[in-house]
Amino acid sequence: MEIQTVESVKEPEDVIRDPYVLEFLGLTPNDDFYESDLEQALITHLQKFLLELGRGFSFVSRQKRITFDGRHFRIDLVFYNYILKCFVLIDLKVRDLTHQDLGQMQMYVHYYERELMNEGDNPPIGIVLCADKSESVVKYTLPENETQIFASKYKLYLPSEEELLRELNQEYQALEAGKTEEKKIGRKKNFASGWCKIDATYILWEKGCTNGISIV
């Protein structure tokens, strides 16, 4: 019997995607919905959402409450990734990303790291899942060596060929601009994957790669 081994995943960047395609929710950009509606839709379609998240994810909690100094805070969704061996916290935003959103996620991640990590766990990571984002807001809010906080867009439909090419071009430009920084920290930056539909065919593309489009 042939045993297939799962490729080793060493960094959160190896599993984080940008964007996440949530066309299975049945929502459209023109729909008027709140973050609670998006959360409920993801829970209703949890199995499909787990597939979109990628390898190693298991659901832990929704609206996880944390309390300190008499104040209560709630994390929209909590998962555990058994490949990375860490908790993954997700906060949902149905609008553009703000620096306050990233600061809030930093607080959640630091709380989990100091209060809720289990023995043998790696530090938790946090994903702010938003309708849109400015790369500059992310760049100037988070430290240059940030490895625990991520901002990813969600799409309610599969991107077109034109949108895919635009995304790839943006990632190529970001990769070129980041080469100097990558040399400084001595680690190659890994871009996540996404999905697109061209001529009725679903394709998986690896952002940051020149030959990473494969038909599935």
Side-chain angles (χ1 to χ4, degrees):
M1 177 183 297
E2 180 181 357
I3 299 178
Q4 296 182 344
T5 59
V6 178
E7 181 182 354
S8 176
V9 175
K10 298 181 179 180
E11 303 291 343
E13 293 94 332
D14 295 331
V15 299
I16 303 298
R17 293 179 177 178
D18 186 17
Y20 289 92
V21 181
L22 309 178
E23 86 286 351
F24 54 83
L25 299 181
L27 301 172
T28 68
N30 296 326
D31 289 341
D32 186 15
F33 58 88
Y34 299 97
E35 289 163 5
S36 58
D37 299 320
L38 179 58
E39 178 187 327
Q40 182 57 55
L42 290 172
I43 293 298
T44 300
H45 300 277
L46 183 58
Q47 184 174 2
K48 293 180 179 179
F49 186 43
L50 286 170
L51 290 174
E52 178 61 20
L53 286 175
R55 294 181 295 163
F57 283 89
S58 60
F59 176 71
V60 176
S61 178
R62 66 182 294 194
Q63 290 298 305
K64 172 66 176 179
R65 190 176 77 172
I66 60 177
T67 303
F68 50 85
D69 293 340
R71 302 182 63 186
H72 304 295
F73 303 90
R74 294 185 180 273
I75 306 170
D76 291 334
L77 299 169
V78 179
F79 295 84
Y80 190 88
N81 188 284
Y82 67 84
I83 298 176
L84 295 174
K85 292 184 171 58
C86 71
F87 286 103
V88 180
L89 318 179
I90 297 181
D91 214 21
L92 305 172
K93 303 297 177 185
V94 294
R95 50 170 171 73
D96 289 358
L97 179 76
T98 68
H99 68 278
Q100 292 95 334
D101 299 329
L102 294 171
Q104 183 181 47
M105 180 55 75
Q106 283 179 312
M107 180 182 69
Y108 293 161
V109 166
H110 292 326
Y111 181 88
Y112 250 80
E113 185 171 6
R114 298 169 188 174
E115 305 294 339
L116 298 176
M117 278 180 57
N118 299 313
E119 185 177 356
D121 283 348
N122 288 319
I125 61 177
I127 305 172
V128 182
L129 193 57
C130 54
D132 203 358
K133 66 174 180 176
S134 163
E135 294 295 344
S136 295
V137 169
V138 178
K139 176 180 178 179
Y140 294 118
T141 301
L142 300 177
E144 290 185 357
N145 60 345
E146 179 61 66
T147 59
Q148 292 178 257
I149 310 296
F150 300 87
S152 294
K153 294 185 291 186
Y154 66 81
K155 289 185 176 293
L156 299 175
Y157 58 92
L158 285 165
S160 64
E161 181 177 6
E162 179 182 345
E163 291 172 319
L164 172 63
L165 294 175
R166 184 167 59 248
E167 288 277 354
L168 289 174
N169 183 59
Q170 290 174 351
E171 289 298 338
Y172 174 76
Q173 292 176 356
L175 181 62
E176 290 296 309
K179 281 183 177 179
T180 302
E181 179 181 349
E182 291 168 15
K183 290 180 180 179
K184 289 181 179 179
I185 63 176
R187 179 166 58 85
K188 182 179 179 182
K189 187 174 183 181
N190 188 310
F191 291 100
S193 59
W195 292 92
C196 182
K197 185 178 182 182
I198 299 179
D199 296 332
T201 301
Y202 292 96
I203 65 172
L204 174 65
W205 53 281
E206 296 294 334
K207 292 161 51 177
C209 299
T210 57
N211 61 348
I213 299 179
S214 58
I215 298 178
V216 297

